Amino acid sequence: MNKNIIAIAIAALGFVAGLGLLGSAIKNRNKSENTISVTGLGTKKFTSDLITWSGNFSRNSFELKSAYDELSNDRKVIENYLISKGIPKNEIVFSAVDIQKQFNYVSDSNGSSHQTFAGYQLSQSISLESKDVAKIENLSRNITEIINLGIEFTSSKPSYFYTKLAEVKQEMIANATKDAKERAEKIAENAGSDLGNLKKATMGVIQITAPNSNEDFSYGGTYNTESKEKEASITIKLEYEVD
């Protein structure tokens, strides 16, 4: 009889404890659901302070040495031209010479194709990197001056960069966080609640585009190098408890 009473008592205590645990779980579940998530945006416009520019020049000849000598002379002319425009010699970088054999393909009366040697093509590229953005911009726009010197020269578009991007990123993160918190406070206020502790913060990737452009954002981040003027943006997602 005593054993039955003890068993019933143990079962009752277990049932009460189970109800307590269940109530605690429900309470904690409701508490975890009583949150709000907001996304803040931070933006910054700035002007590039670093520019890179490159070009390519070539010579063709049936004699390899002749082609090389002509290319070497072109290299000296280009270097002297750039120095005359105020470009420091240590900022002028020439690549190794690329040598390609050229062939012409012809078909005979039987439809068979044959190749004949058409000479050598030697090419070389030049690249500049400078913080004097205006000077390199002007140089790239007036590259016909090199062509007028008798050199077969092809110019690429300049690329623009910013060396203080880390500072811009920190400022945008601060602004995005502030924006997100203000949104959360407004939501809580309109709901008649108080904003509680911050539970989670998630930062998005930085997107750098040309101002007022329709460039698409990329999942891994976008970095526009074609525009001197840039606009960067970043998002911060915050999750708060609500009391």
Side-chain angles (χ1 to χ4, degrees):
M1 183 67 177
N2 290 337
K3 289 182 178 180
N4 290 336
I5 293 174
I6 293 173
I8 292 171
I10 292 174
L13 288 173
F15 179 71
V16 172
L19 288 176
L21 291 173
L22 179 61
S24 177
I26 293 174
K27 180 180 179 181
N28 290 333
R29 184 195 66 183
N30 290 337
K31 183 178 180 181
S32 66
E33 290 178 351
N34 198 24
T35 61
I36 56 173
S37 295
V38 289
T39 299
L41 176 65
T43 62
K44 177 74 174 180
K45 290 184 178 181
F46 54 93
T47 302
S48 301
D49 63 357
L50 181 70
I51 185 173
T52 63
W53 171 79
S54 64
N56 183 274
F57 55 102
S58 61
R59 283 289 180 175
N60 296 277
S61 177
F62 277 92
E63 298 295 330
L64 182 59
K65 184 179 183 306
S66 176
Y68 184 83
D69 289 343
E70 290 176 355
L71 192 74
S72 180
N73 182 68
D74 290 345
R75 183 169 61 249
K76 293 177 182 178
V77 171
I78 293 171
E79 184 177 71
N80 290 335
Y81 170 81
L82 295 176
I83 292 174
S84 73
K85 295 297 182 181
I87 306 300
K89 187 174 181 178
N90 64 336
E91 291 184 1
I92 304 172
V93 179
F94 288 98
S95 70
V97 177
D98 180 63
I99 302 174
Q100 298 289 335
K101 288 184 176 181
Q102 304 295 304
F103 296 93
N104 290 326
Y105 294 88
V106 295
S107 299
D108 58 25
S109 57
N110 297 321
S112 300
S113 180
H114 303 278
Q115 66 178 22
T116 58
F117 179 64
Y120 295 94
Q121 182 184 66
L122 274 64
S123 61
Q124 196 167 15
S125 64
I126 177 177
S127 60
L128 302 176
E129 180 179 288
S130 176
K131 289 189 175 183
D132 195 337
V133 177
K135 181 184 292 184
I136 303 303
E137 272 187 325
N138 184 63
L139 182 69
S140 67
R141 294 189 185 117
N142 295 283
I143 207 61
T144 52
E145 293 182 8
I146 292 180
I147 298 175
N148 291 336
L149 295 174
I151 299 174
E152 186 178 335
F153 192 90
T154 303
S155 174
S156 300
K157 292 181 179 180
S159 295
Y160 299 91
F161 303 90
Y162 191 64
T163 59
K164 300 176 183 178
L165 196 56
E167 297 177 11
V168 171
K169 189 174 182 179
Q170 290 178 2
E171 183 179 345
M172 288 193 304
I173 290 173
N175 291 338
T177 303
K178 180 181 178 182
D179 181 47
K181 185 177 181 181
E182 289 176 351
R183 291 171 185 265
E185 289 173 340
K186 197 65 177 178
I187 293 172
E189 179 185 344
N190 291 337
S193 302
D194 294 322
L195 200 63
N197 295 326
L198 176 65
K199 294 184 61 180
K200 185 179 180 182
T202 306
M203 183 176 68
V205 295
I206 188 169
Q207 309 282 352
I208 301 176
T209 61
N212 305 315
S213 69
N214 59 354
E215 294 178 66
D216 293 330
F217 285 177
S218 169
Y219 179 80
T222 300
Y223 196 130
N224 178 295
T225 60
E226 295 183 358
S227 173
K228 180 171 65 175
E229 302 299 326
K230 302 184 188 297
E231 182 173 17
S233 62
I234 197 168
T235 57
I236 296 289
K237 183 178 181 180
L238 302 181
E239 184 176 335
Y240 284 95
E241 292 178 351
V242 179
D243 301 327

